[in-house]
PDB file of all heavy atoms in Angstrom:
ATOM      1  N   ASP B 302      67.695  58.535 131.316  1.00 93.00           N
ATOM      2  CA  ASP B 302      66.478  57.959 130.802  1.00 93.00           C
ATOM      3  C   ASP B 302      65.297  58.013 131.744  1.00 93.00           C
ATOM      4  O   ASP B 302      65.517  58.212 132.943  1.00 93.00           O
ATOM      5  CB  ASP B 302      66.773  56.402 130.310  1.00 93.00           C
ATOM      6  CG  ASP B 302      65.769  56.002 129.433  1.00 93.00           C
ATOM      7  OD1 ASP B 302      65.082  56.796 128.734  1.00 93.00           O
ATOM      8  OD2 ASP B 302      65.516  54.729 129.280  1.00 93.00           O
ATOM      9  N   ILE B 303      64.164  57.899 131.228  1.00 93.00           N
ATOM     10  CA  ILE B 303      62.916  57.989 132.015  1.00 93.00           C
ATOM     11  C   ILE B 303      61.974  57.001 131.452  1.00 93.00           C
ATOM     12  O   ILE B 303      61.914  56.797 130.267  1.00 93.00           O
ATOM     13  CB  ILE B 303      62.340  59.380 132.005  1.00 93.00           C
ATOM     14  CG1 ILE B 303      61.369  59.515 133.157  1.00 93.00           C
ATOM     15  CG2 ILE B 303      61.894  59.951 130.694  1.00 93.00           C
ATOM     16  CD1 ILE B 303      60.988  60.923 133.606  1.00 93.00           C
ATOM     17  N   LYS B 304      61.149  56.459 132.341  1.00 93.00           N
ATOM     18  CA  LYS B 304      60.038  55.484 131.962  1.00 93.00           C
ATOM     19  C   LYS B 304      58.875  55.996 132.629  1.00 93.00           C
ATOM     20  O   LYS B 304      58.700  56.024 133.889  1.00 93.00           O
ATOM     21  CB  LYS B 304      60.349  54.092 132.418  1.00 93.00           C
ATOM     22  CG  LYS B 304      59.248  53.162 132.222  1.00 93.00           C
ATOM     23  CD  LYS B 304      59.023  52.880 130.698  1.00 93.00           C
ATOM     24  CE  LYS B 304      57.750  52.047 130.582  1.00 93.00           C
ATOM     25  NZ  LYS B 304      57.436  51.890 129.141  1.00 93.00           N
ATOM     26  N   ALA B 305      57.769  56.295 131.773  1.00 92.00           N
ATOM     27  CA  ALA B 305      56.518  56.692 132.393  1.00 92.00           C
ATOM     28  C   ALA B 305      55.789  55.347 132.687  1.00 92.00           C
ATOM     29  O   ALA B 305      55.404  54.565 131.764  1.00 92.00           O
ATOM     30  CB  ALA B 305      55.754  57.517 131.343  1.00 92.00           C
ATOM     31  N   ASP B 306      55.402  55.116 133.873  1.00 89.00           N
ATOM     32  CA  ASP B 306      54.770  53.969 134.376  1.00 89.00           C
ATOM     33  C   ASP B 306      53.173  54.197 134.470  1.00 89.00           C
ATOM     34  O   ASP B 306      52.748  55.287 134.125  1.00 89.00           O
ATOM     35  CB  ASP B 306      55.293  53.569 135.741  1.00 89.00           C
ATOM     36  CG  ASP B 306      55.100  51.991 136.009  1.00 89.00           C
ATOM     37  OD1 ASP B 306      54.363  51.381 135.326  1.00 89.00           O
ATOM     38  OD2 ASP B 306      55.831  51.532 136.843  1.00 89.00           O
ATOM     39  N   LYS B 307      52.413  53.289 134.997  1.00 87.00           N
ATOM     40  CA  LYS B 307      51.004  53.538 135.063  1.00 87.00           C
ATOM     41  C   LYS B 307      50.714  54.479 136.340  1.00 87.00           C
ATOM     42  O   LYS B 307      51.606  54.681 137.136  1.00 87.00           O
ATOM     43  CB  LYS B 307      50.337  52.219 135.320  1.00 87.00           C
ATOM     44  CG  LYS B 307      50.764  51.446 136.506  1.00 87.00           C
ATOM     45  CD  LYS B 307      50.251  50.118 136.560  1.00 87.00           C
ATOM     46  CE  LYS B 307      50.895  49.309 137.802  1.00 87.00           C
ATOM     47  NZ  LYS B 307      50.519  47.942 137.739  1.00 87.00           N
ATOM     48  N   ALA B 308      49.546  54.947 136.373  1.00 89.00           N
ATOM     49  CA  ALA B 308      49.059  55.769 137.574  1.00 89.00           C
ATOM     50  C   ALA B 308      49.973  56.926 137.767  1.00 89.00           C
ATOM     51  O   ALA B 308      50.054  57.441 138.986  1.00 89.00           O
ATOM     52  CB  ALA B 308      48.985  54.920 138.802  1.00 89.00           C
ATOM     53  N   GLY B 309      50.571  57.522 136.850  1.00 90.00           N
ATOM     54  CA  GLY B 309      51.291  58.768 137.015  1.00 90.00           C
ATOM     55  C   GLY B 309      52.751  58.494 137.686  1.00 90.00           C
ATOM     56  O   GLY B 309      53.340  59.451 137.940  1.00 90.00           O
ATOM     57  N   ILE B 310      52.991  57.204 137.820  1.00 93.00           N
ATOM     58  CA  ILE B 310      54.337  56.950 138.473  1.00 93.00           C
ATOM     59  C   ILE B 310      55.373  57.058 137.289  1.00 93.00           C
ATOM     60  O   ILE B 310      55.141  56.699 136.117  1.00 93.00           O
ATOM     61  CB  ILE B 310      54.265  55.413 138.971  1.00 93.00           C
ATOM     62  CG1 ILE B 310      53.351  55.415 140.191  1.00 93.00           C
ATOM     63  CG2 ILE B 310      55.664  55.158 139.509  1.00 93.00           C
ATOM     64  CD1 ILE B 310      53.003  53.980 140.576  1.00 93.00           C
ATOM     65  N   TYR B 311      56.571  57.468 137.607  1.00 94.00           N
ATOM     66  CA  TYR B 311      57.592  57.526 136.651  1.00 94.00           C
ATOM     67  C   TYR B 311      58.994  57.178 137.263  1.00 94.00           C
ATOM     68  O   TYR B 311      59.097  57.353 138.490  1.00 94.00           O
ATOM     69  CB  TYR B 311      57.681  58.826 135.917  1.00 94.00           C
ATOM     70  CG  TYR B 311      57.790  60.097 136.765  1.00 94.00           C
ATOM     71  CD1 TYR B 311      58.980  60.721 137.121  1.00 94.00           C
ATOM     72  CD2 TYR B 311      56.602  60.629 137.297  1.00 94.00           C
ATOM     73  CE1 TYR B 311      59.016  61.773 137.840  1.00 94.00           C
ATOM     74  CE2 TYR B 311      56.570  61.747 138.039  1.00 94.00           C
ATOM     75  CZ  TYR B 311      57.805  62.337 138.377  1.00 94.00           C
ATOM     76  OH  TYR B 311      57.823  63.470 139.213  1.00 94.00           O
ATOM     77  N   THR B 312      59.907  56.639 136.558  1.00 94.00           N
ATOM     78  CA  THR B 312      61.121  56.086 137.007  1.00 94.00           C
ATOM     79  C   THR B 312      62.173  56.638 136.164  1.00 94.00           C
ATOM     80  O   THR B 312      62.112  56.682 134.951  1.00 94.00           O
ATOM     81  CB  THR B 312      61.166  54.507 136.905  1.00 94.00           C
ATOM     82  OG1 THR B 312      60.095  53.976 137.732  1.00 94.00           O
ATOM     83  CG2 THR B 312      62.455  54.044 137.287  1.00 94.00           C
ATOM     84  N   ALA B 313      63.167  57.319 136.761  1.00 93.00           N
ATOM     85  CA  ALA B 313      64.235  57.910 136.091  1.00 93.00           C
ATOM     86  C   ALA B 313      65.639  57.435 136.484  1.00 93.00           C
ATOM     87  O   ALA B 313      65.776  57.022 137.627  1.00 93.00           O
ATOM     88  CB  ALA B 313      64.187  59.468 136.327  1.00 93.00           C
ATOM     89  N   LEU B 314      66.434  57.405 135.585  1.00 93.00           N
ATOM     90  CA  LEU B 314      67.775  56.665 135.757  1.00 93.00           C
ATOM     91  C   LEU B 314      68.878  57.820 135.827  1.00 93.00           C
ATOM     92  O   LEU B 314      68.991  58.616 134.893  1.00 93.00           O
ATOM     93  CB  LEU B 314      67.997  55.713 134.568  1.00 93.00           C
ATOM     94  CG  LEU B 314      69.499  55.156 134.522  1.00 93.00           C
ATOM     95  CD1 LEU B 314      69.726  54.305 135.764  1.00 93.00           C
ATOM     96  CD2 LEU B 314      69.561  54.233 133.285  1.00 93.00           C
ATOM     97  N   ASP B 315      69.565  57.776 136.896  1.00 91.00           N
ATOM     98  CA  ASP B 315      70.758  58.708 137.023  1.00 91.00           C
ATOM     99  C   ASP B 315      71.951  58.146 136.627  1.00 91.00           C
ATOM    100  O   ASP B 315      72.460  57.138 137.151  1.00 91.00           O
ATOM    101  CB  ASP B 315      70.647  59.120 138.539  1.00 91.00           C
ATOM    102  CG  ASP B 315      72.016  59.854 139.005  1.00 91.00           C
ATOM    103  OD1 ASP B 315      72.642  60.291 138.054  1.00 91.00           O
ATOM    104  OD2 ASP B 315      72.238  59.953 140.149  1.00 91.00           O
ATOM    105  N   ALA B 316      72.589  58.642 135.556  1.00 90.00           N
ATOM    106  CA  ALA B 316      73.841  58.090 135.107  1.00 90.00           C
ATOM    107  C   ALA B 316      75.096  58.361 135.905  1.00 90.00           C
ATOM    108  O   ALA B 316      76.062  57.597 135.798  1.00 90.00           O
ATOM    109  CB  ALA B 316      74.083  58.608 133.578  1.00 90.00           C
ATOM    110  N   ARG B 317      75.024  59.400 136.668  1.00 89.00           N
ATOM    111  CA  ARG B 317      76.203  59.776 137.481  1.00 89.00           C
ATOM    112  C   ARG B 317      76.363  58.791 138.619  1.00 89.00           C
ATOM    113  O   ARG B 317      77.481  58.253 138.829  1.00 89.00           O
ATOM    114  CB  ARG B 317      76.179  61.181 138.071  1.00 89.00           C
ATOM    115  CG  ARG B 317      77.507  61.606 138.707  1.00 89.00           C
ATOM    116  CD  ARG B 317      77.349  62.857 139.414  1.00 89.00           C
ATOM    117  NE  ARG B 317      76.992  63.980 138.718  1.00 89.00           N
ATOM    118  CZ  ARG B 317      77.926  64.731 137.998  1.00 89.00           C
ATOM    119  NH1 ARG B 317      79.162  64.458 138.111  1.00 89.00           N
ATOM    120  NH2 ARG B 317      77.627  65.780 137.404  1.00 89.00           N
ATOM    121  N   TYR B 318      75.367  58.503 139.397  1.00 89.00           N
ATOM    122  CA  TYR B 318      75.477  57.651 140.585  1.00 89.00           C
ATOM    123  C   TYR B 318      74.858  56.215 140.291  1.00 89.00           C
ATOM    124  O   TYR B 318      74.796  55.412 141.209  1.00 89.00           O
ATOM    125  CB  TYR B 318      74.859  58.310 141.778  1.00 89.00           C
ATOM    126  CG  TYR B 318      75.563  59.585 142.204  1.00 89.00           C
ATOM    127  CD1 TYR B 318      74.819  60.810 141.935  1.00 89.00           C
ATOM    128  CD2 TYR B 318      76.839  59.662 142.678  1.00 89.00           C
ATOM    129  CE1 TYR B 318      75.522  61.978 142.336  1.00 89.00           C
ATOM    130  CE2 TYR B 318      77.428  60.706 142.996  1.00 89.00           C
ATOM    131  CZ  TYR B 318      76.794  62.039 142.799  1.00 89.00           C
ATOM    132  OH  TYR B 318      77.420  63.157 143.167  1.00 89.00           O
ATOM    133  N   GLY B 319      74.325  56.058 139.145  1.00 89.00           N
ATOM    134  CA  GLY B 319      73.734  54.816 138.652  1.00 89.00           C
ATOM    135  C   GLY B 319      72.503  54.453 139.566  1.00 89.00           C
ATOM    136  O   GLY B 319      72.179  53.263 139.653  1.00 89.00           O
TER     137      GLY B 319
END
Side-chain angles (χ1 to χ4, degrees):
Chain B
D302 197 20
I303 189 161
K304 172 67 186 176
D306 205 341
K307 61 190 169 188
I310 299 169
Y311 50 97
T312 298
L314 173 64
D315 164 18
R317 188 192 295 276
Y318 299 109

